[in-house]
Amino acid sequence: QRLRRPEQAVEQLNLALTLSPHHKEALRRLVEIHTRQEAWPQAAAAIQALLDQEHQREHLVELYLRQARILDVGLNDPPGAMEACRRALAQDPGHLDATRRLADLMGRLGNRSALEHHLRASLDVHRQRAEQDPAAPAPYRAMADLFSSLKDPDGTRVMGEILGAMVPGAALPSQPPVVPHPRLPAASLTGETLRALVHPDLPPPLLELLNKAQQTLGKVYPSVSSELPTLSADTDASQAFLA
C-alpha cells in the first residue's frame, strides 16, 4: 500500500495463506487489491474463499454485496450478481442496499414482473418492521424509497408525511413529481374540529376527501381497506368520523 507494489503484496499474501489458508484478513486484503487492479477472476476467487470462512450475518451481507459488484461490473455476470444479492437478502431480508442492487439488476435485464414482486415483498418486510417498532424512522424511510421505486406517488407521499413528522427536515428519496396536496396545520386536527366537519349530511366534497384518503392509506397498509367501512352518502356520521 505504501510502496504501491500490488504484485509483491499479492505474493506475500498468498505466502501467508499457504501457512494459514483460512486467514480472513489476508483474504480481505487480496479481495481489495484484486478489485483495485481489476483482476476480476482473482477477486472473485478470493471473495468466495472469504465467504466460505465467514459465519457472521452482517459480514456475510457485506461480502455478498461485494461479490455482486465483482460479478456484475468485473465479470459481466448479472445472473450471478442477482444470486449474490438474493443470498445477502436471505441474511437480512430488509437490507436496502441489497434490495436496490437486485432491483437495478432486474430492471436492466427487463424482468419487470419479477422486479415489482421483489419490491413489494421488500415493502412487506418494512411494513412488519414498522408495526414492531412504530417509533423507528428507518422502516418508513425504506418504504418511502420502495414506493418511489414503484412509482407510487401516494405511498411515497404518505411515508414522507410520517417521516416529516418524526424527523423534521428528513431527506426523502427522489420521487416522480406530483400535484401537492393541501395540508392542515397539526393544531387544527383536533377531535372537535373533525367532528365539526362530519355531520349527518356528509357533503359530497368531504365524502370525496374521505374516500381518497382511504384509498391512499390502503396502498400503504392493504389491511386498511378491509377494516374501514365503505363510505357513502347515507353513512352514519359517527362511522364516518371513525373512518
Side-chain angles (χ1 to χ4, degrees):
Q1 187 173 10
R2 291 181 180 277
L3 299 178
R4 298 181 183 178
R5 296 176 184 171
E7 293 81 5
Q8 287 179 277
V10 167
E11 289 177 8
Q12 294 300 311
L13 289 167
N14 283 326
L15 178 59
L17 287 168
T18 61
L19 302 173
S20 179
H22 307 312
H23 197 284
K24 291 182 182 180
E25 183 59 26
L27 288 168
R28 281 184 182 277
R29 292 195 181 196
L30 269 183
V31 171
E32 290 170 4
I33 293 172
H34 288 318
T35 301
R36 280 202 309 271
Q37 297 299 106
E38 297 186 353
W40 300 114
Q42 294 90 330
I47 203 162
Q48 185 58 58
L50 191 53
L51 279 163
D52 292 341
Q53 310 305 322
E54 189 56 70
H55 303 289
Q56 293 187 35
R57 186 176 65 88
E58 61 274 17
H59 292 161
L60 282 169
V61 171
E62 174 201 344
L63 290 173
Y64 280 128
L65 287 177
R66 294 183 72 178
Q67 184 182 48
R69 180 178 177 275
I70 290 168
L71 291 168
D72 180 30
V73 176
L75 298 179
N76 192 26
D77 181 9
M82 288 170 64
E83 181 58 29
C85 290
R86 289 192 181 100
R87 291 182 180 182
L89 288 168
Q91 299 296 322
D92 180 358
H95 197 280
L96 206 51
D97 285 344
T99 300
R100 287 174 182 146
R101 188 177 289 274
L102 181 54
D104 176 65
L105 288 161
M106 287 176 168
R108 280 194 275 136
L109 292 176
N111 197 339
R112 299 296 172 188
S113 59
L115 170 59
E116 182 166 350
H117 177 76
H118 162 61
L119 292 173
R120 293 196 180 281
S122 300
L123 202 56
D124 288 339
V125 171
H126 291 287
R127 278 196 186 103
Q128 292 169 11
R129 292 185 177 183
E131 289 170 5
Q132 291 165 2
D133 188 359
Y140 303 105
R141 195 182 299 277
M143 283 193 282
D145 188 284
L146 291 165
F147 276 120
S148 180
S149 298
L150 285 162
K151 295 181 172 54
D152 185 336
D154 286 336
T156 308
R157 181 173 59 85
V158 170
M159 290 299 103
E161 293 285 336
I162 294 172
L163 275 171
M166 294 178 71
V167 188
L172 301 179
S174 59
Q175 52 183 287
V178 295
V179 177
H181 293 257
R183 283 183 71 178
L184 290 172
S188 70
L189 300 178
T190 63
E192 184 178 347
T193 306
L194 289 171
R195 284 188 179 88
L197 287 172
V198 179
H199 51 81
D201 293 338
L202 272 184
L206 177 60
L207 181 63
E208 183 182 357
L209 175 64
L210 289 171
N211 276 316
K212 283 184 177 177
Q214 181 172 332
Q215 291 164 12
T216 298
L217 196 58
K219 290 184 178 181
V220 182
Y221 293 102
S223 60
V224 167
S225 298
S226 59
E227 292 172 1
L228 293 182
T230 301
L231 301 173
S232 64
D234 56 358
T235 299
D236 178 79
S238 62
Q239 275 191 307
F241 171 71
L242 289 174

